[in-house]
Amino acid sequence: MSIRYTHSIHRSDVTEEYTIKQTRLYPFQLVYEDTAVGMPANAKPGEAFEMKDGKYYIRNMKGYQDALNLTIGEVVANHQLVYRKHSYSLQENIGPGVSIKIQAEYTNLWELWKGELLE
């Protein structure tokens, strides 16, 4: 799963990539085009920092999160949730300026078949 957006200050693309294990989100890569305000200029200990084809990459990121709290951009951000090669516009599907919580949740096939709704 990944979150793609346009950084509001330097107007360049940013992609945060996560692996989902159980119900936790593990960041594994950050890809961005500018080290200006709000973006890291280097990797943390144990992570890998690389510049390639005009983009910065931080790989082997550590830690996990149970959820991501995000306020959907109103003007520039164009937040996209990418899951299994499908991209979903958060502005179009939820609305600009809305605060959301993104978390992984397990639903078995029986619940999906019955039409159970996720909260």
Side-chain angles (χ1 to χ4, degrees):
M1 179 206 75
S2 63
I3 305 280
R4 267 195 321 235
Y5 59 93
T6 301
H7 194 281
S8 62
I9 296 174
H10 38 82
R11 314 272 172 144
S12 61
D13 293 334
V14 178
T15 302
E16 301 175 6
E17 298 182 28
Y18 298 86
T19 298
I20 300 172
K21 295 179 186 173
Q22 302 296 330
T23 58
R24 291 187 170 156
L25 303 169
Y26 292 84
F28 72 89
Q29 180 169 261
L30 176 64
V31 182
Y32 54 102
E33 299 174 1
D34 198 326
T35 59
V37 176
M39 299 309 298
N42 208 337
K44 294 178 184 174
E47 298 176 344
F49 182 81
E50 176 184 20
M51 184 178 177
K52 182 179 176 183
D53 298 327
K55 294 187 180 195
Y56 298 96
Y57 294 82
I58 296 181
R59 295 187 174 102
N60 303 324
M61 298 175 78
K62 307 295 181 212
Y64 68 87
Q65 295 173 298
D66 291 322
L68 300 173
N69 293 303
L70 172 70
T71 299
I72 300 169
E74 295 188 46
V75 181
V76 177
N78 189 28
H79 284 100
Q80 303 280 317
L81 176 69
V82 182
Y83 185 71
R84 294 189 176 170
K85 299 183 182 180
H86 295 284
S87 181
Y88 305 92
S89 169
L90 298 180
Q91 280 89 343
E92 291 176 14
N93 291 293
I94 298 172
V98 177
S99 294
I100 63 170
K101 182 178 186 179
I102 299 171
Q103 65 187 51
E105 188 170 305
Y106 175 78
T107 302
N108 65 42
L109 291 175
W110 175 249
E111 290 170 331
L112 290 174
W113 183 76
K114 289 186 339 184
E116 294 290 324
L117 297 176
L118 299 176
E119 294 182 29

